[in-house]
Amino acid sequence: MQMYIRISGVFFGAIAFLHMLRLLLGWPAQIAGWAVPLWFSWIAILAAGALCVWAFRLAARVRP
């Protein structure tokens, strides 16, 4: 269980990092013809970052 939680934390951390890169480098994103605005990445960074922190905190409390 602890390994699953840590992998989830790494996954959400990577997503937050990629959204940060998108903001810094101005990468465009498109979903089914809809151009995703850059401000959406701010929301995604907050959400993915919170899930990353939550996962690692939970992993620290779970006994192996």
Side-chain angles (χ1 to χ4, degrees):
M1 179 75 156
Q2 189 176 18
M3 183 61 77
Y4 171 77
I5 295 170
R6 284 186 181 173
I7 291 171
S8 296
V10 169
F11 178 75
F12 285 118
I15 289 173
F17 179 72
L18 288 172
H19 276 286
M20 197 178 320
L21 280 178
R22 178 177 183 243
L23 282 172
L24 291 173
L25 301 176
W27 291 343
Q30 191 169 359
I31 300 174
W34 174 61
V36 180
L38 284 176
W39 61 262
F40 183 79
S41 284
W42 287 108
I43 296 169
I45 288 171
L46 292 175
L51 289 170
C52 175
V53 170
W54 184 22
F56 282 113
R57 281 185 163 180
L58 186 60
R61 284 192 278 163
V62 173
R63 294 184 192 165

